[in-house]
Amino acid sequence: MNSMNKTKAKPSTGEGWAVHVYDSDRHLRFTLESSHIWAFSWGIGVGLLVAIVWYALYSASHSFSSNTNHLTNLSPTPETSSREGLRPESTSSFPFGID
């Protein structure tokens, strides 16, 4: 009979945690679980990685175009200056043209 007392089920403590947020009327508004924190962390990490790669590619292409710009920048000839609608290319510091 002693062996029956030893077979009690122990509560599981490896299930994680959850935070439940209620409003003033005791209605559940949202639940925050550990998996949400992991997904948010992965999103921040991937976002930073994309931003770093985007910046590296943009700065590499921008430095390449500025290095070759002085080699191809020739003085305008009468044929090129007489064209209508010819505007110099704007050099912006942001890839979408927003400064």
Side-chain angles (χ1 to χ4, degrees):
M1 292 213 189
N2 235 355
S3 65
M4 289 187 123
N5 290 338
K6 292 182 180 178
T7 59
K8 284 185 178 179
K10 294 182 181 178
S12 175
T13 59
E15 293 180 11
W17 53 268
V19 175
H20 303 281
V21 178
Y22 296 90
D23 63 3
S24 62
D25 294 331
R26 304 278 300 159
H27 294 117
L28 180 66
R29 288 298 166 198
F30 65 90
T31 301
L32 182 65
E33 297 179 2
S34 62
S35 62
H36 298 139
I37 300 299
W38 281 109
F40 181 74
S41 300
W42 275 102
I44 292 292
V46 169
L48 284 173
L49 182 64
V50 167
I52 290 169
V53 168
W54 182 282
Y55 179 75
L57 291 175
Y58 173 72
S59 64
S61 68
H62 186 68
S63 66
F64 176 73
S65 66
S66 66
N67 286 342
T68 59
N69 193 18
H70 67 84
L71 296 176
T72 59
N73 190 8
L74 301 174
S75 60
T77 61
E79 295 89 24
T80 59
S81 61
S82 65
R83 289 187 202 165
E84 291 183 13
L86 183 64
R87 295 186 321 190
E89 190 173 314
S90 67
T91 59
S92 94
S93 61
F94 193 73
F96 301 117
I98 304 169
D99 282 331

